[in-house]
Each structure stands twice: as structure tokens, then as C-alpha cells.
Amino acid sequence: MTAAAGALILKMVIAAFSGMGAATVCHPLDVIRVQMQTEGSTYNGFGDAAVGIYKKDGLKDGLYAGVSAAYLRQWLYGSCRIGIYAYLLESAQNANVQKGLDKNAIPLASKMLMGLTSGGIGSFVGTPSELALVRMSNDKKLPTEQRRNYKGVGECIARIAKEEGVPGLFRGAPATVLRACLLSACAMGITSELKMRLSGSGLFGPDGKILGGVPLLFVATLISSFAANIVANPFDVVKSRMQNMAVAKDGSTQYKSMPDCFFQTVSNEGVLKLWSGFVPAFLKLAPYTVIALTLTDKLTKAITGKDAL
């Protein structure tokens, strides 16, 4: 039991550091995505949003606003999503070996269920950091008198708990968890499945090891990220809106629940609004997944001698 717990913790720590590396590169895309998805957005597209945010607030306070929340998110959400998945996958592989089966004889549905589980756990644990990320990324877009002017992720979380109550830290949790379950099921499960199948195709060298296996992982994660983004984007829009909405002095909010936010968005702005921010979300998710999973795989191999995925 102790050995199993140690193995799980190690995988989660590796995943957290790998996620921080990916977040450092991809955070500006998250800022653009959030500002395109929330109310009051006047940007005409991804490029217009990127240029507009940079011109208005620069790099540090604009495109990298809320990066401290992104790092915290990796320790809460990313560590669980990738670390728990890697642990579950290795456990299933070991069980197959003990039964005398091919260790990779794991159905795609089982891998997606592992991804769904790890994503759900991670997203619930990481909801406060996700909320802080949305608030801090979007703050500069608000009129001056409405800005919250958070000084950092710690102050952001503390102020939300004080001003809106501790339950306020989990605002949008249902949408956050649903999004993460769907996204993680596709991103993790499909990546593992494609990695296994493509490694035996000969297209990427013997066992897919050409250039250290990076091209194989790039193709696998690119395909899985696209599928994940199609499924998860509507929940991403709802999540961003619920987490960014203001709370009136009487405690009332614009949206009463996740379904209410969904129906208000569709009725007021059309069904396609549910896929707003798709381009920056995909452009962020694809490289983030490539970087995070590649770092996780390589660090795990270097430390334990085993593949992570």
C-alpha cells in the first residue's frame, strides 16, 4: 500500500512540473480564450483578441495575467489528471501481465474511463484555482470601476472566500467537472490508444521511437486534443461565464445554474456561441497536451525507467 501511494505521488509530482512547463508556454492562449468567451467581448477573432489584449495591457499584465493561478492549477488539477491516469494505466498494464496477457490489451473505453475519472477528481480539487484563473485572466477586460484588481492567486482566492463565501470558490464546479471529465477522457484515452497503434505502424520508426517518440506523441495528442475540444468547448463557455459573473449585494447572480447559463447563452447569442473561443482553446490545448504529456513521459522514463502513457 505504501509503495503504491509513493508511486502515485511521484507520478502526480512529475505531472505537476510537466504541466507548469506547458502552462508557461500556453498561458497567453488561455487568457485570449477566456476574454473571448465572457460577456462584453468585442473581438472579431483570435488574432484580433491577441493584438488587442497586448496593445491594451502588454505581456505581463495582459497575455500573462493570472499565470500564478495557472501554476497553482497544475498542482491541483494537472497533477491529478495526468498523474492519476498514468497510475491507473500502469496498474491495468501490470494486471494484464500477471494474467499472462499483452500489457497493452486495454480497451479504448477503459482508457477513456480512466481519463474521465482522473479528470473529474482533478477538476473538482482544482476548481478554486480554475476560478482564480478565469477571474484574473478576464479582469483587465472589465471597465475600470468593475475590476477586482487581484494582486495574486493567493489574494484572489482569499478575497473570493471572504466576499462570496467559501462555497463561492466552487462556483461553476458542475460545468468545470463535466468539461474536465469529457476533455480528459478524450485527451488521455485517445492519446494512449493512438500512441499504441501508431507505434506499431512503422510510420514513426521502430516502436515509434524516431526522434525520441516526439513526432508520434505530437500526432496522437493533436488528434485527441481536437476531439476533446469539440466535446468540451460548450462546457468551457458555460464554466467561464459562471465563474466570471459578479455577485450583487443581495447575493443574486446573472445565472442561477449551469442549465440556466446554457439556455441564456443559446437564446441570447445563438448556439454557435457555445463554441466561441474554439480556436484559442484548441491552439492552447494541443501544444499544452503535447508539452505536458511529452515532459511527463520523458521525466517518468528518466526517473522510473517506465513509460507514463
Side-chain angles (χ1 to χ4, degrees):
M1 182 66 72
T2 303
L8 174 59
I9 291 171
L10 177 60
K11 291 181 184 299
M12 292 176 68
V13 170
I14 291 173
F17 277 112
S18 300
M20 287 181 70
T24 300
V25 176
C26 302
H27 183 70
L29 296 167
D30 232 0
V31 173
I32 296 168
R33 171 187 63 81
V34 168
Q35 293 207 16
M36 288 181 68
Q37 289 176 339
T38 49
E39 291 88 353
S41 176
T42 57
Y43 300 120
N44 295 320
F46 169 72
D48 182 49
V51 172
I53 294 169
Y54 179 76
K55 283 185 175 180
K56 182 182 178 184
D57 298 304
L59 195 63
K60 179 178 178 291
D61 295 328
L63 293 174
Y64 273 91
V67 71
S68 58
Y71 289 150
L72 177 61
R73 182 173 179 266
Q74 296 311 315
W75 281 95
L76 298 178
Y77 168 59
S79 63
C80 293
R81 183 173 78 99
I82 299 177
I84 293 176
Y85 177 82
Y87 176 79
L88 293 174
L89 183 64
E90 184 180 21
S91 298
Q93 290 173 334
N94 290 338
N96 279 350
V97 171
Q98 291 176 1
K99 295 174 183 177
L101 303 173
D102 178 0
K103 76 169 188 176
N104 291 318
I106 304 170
L108 173 59
S110 296
K111 294 174 184 174
M112 294 183 74
L113 181 60
M114 294 175 197
L116 184 147
T117 301
S118 64
I121 293 171
S123 65
F124 183 77
V125 172
T127 294
S129 63
E130 182 78 28
L131 175 62
L133 175 62
V134 170
R135 291 280 184 92
M136 294 175 72
S137 297
N138 194 64
D139 203 46
K140 291 291 185 180
K141 194 185 82 175
L142 299 173
T144 305
E145 66 277 6
Q146 295 180 19
R147 291 179 185 174
R148 300 175 174 105
N149 297 313
Y150 299 120
K151 297 176 181 176
V153 63
E155 193 217 19
C156 178
I157 291 176
R159 278 181 54 187
I160 293 171
K162 181 180 179 180
E163 297 168 5
E164 304 172 34
V166 173
L169 291 171
F170 290 88
R171 179 169 290 111
T176 300
V177 172
L178 277 172
R179 168 191 174 272
C181 285
L182 294 171
L183 189 148
S184 189
C186 293
M188 304 304 298
I190 295 176
T191 294
S192 287
E193 183 73 12
L194 287 175
K195 181 187 175 187
M196 181 191 70
R197 292 183 180 278
L198 291 174
S199 64
S201 68
L203 295 173
F204 299 91
D207 296 323
K209 299 299 184 183
I210 188 172
L211 296 178
V214 173
L216 185 151
L217 267 176
F218 176 80
V219 172
T221 53
L222 191 68
I223 296 172
S224 67
S225 297
F226 187 77
N229 214 46
I230 290 175
V231 174
N233 207 84
F235 295 95
D236 205 16
V237 171
V238 171
K239 175 188 71 66
S240 293
R241 292 190 168 208
M242 292 193 68
Q243 291 179 331
N244 189 62
M245 66 182 176
V247 179
K249 291 183 179 180
D250 61 0
S252 63
T253 57
Q254 181 179 356
Y255 305 116
K256 296 179 176 63
S257 63
M258 183 180 74
D260 180 50
C261 179
F262 177 87
F263 287 118
Q264 279 198 48
T265 301
V266 172
S267 62
N268 295 333
E269 302 173 63
V271 69
L272 291 180
K273 188 63 182 180
L274 294 173
W275 279 272
S276 64
F278 181 90
V279 172
F282 174 65
L283 290 178
K284 181 258 181 176
L285 180 62
Y288 167 82
T289 307
V290 170
I291 295 169
L293 295 188
T294 300
L295 286 174
T296 299
D297 212 36
K298 298 309 176 186
L299 287 174
T300 302
K301 186 74 172 179
I303 295 171
T304 68
K306 300 178 181 179
D307 289 331
L309 303 172

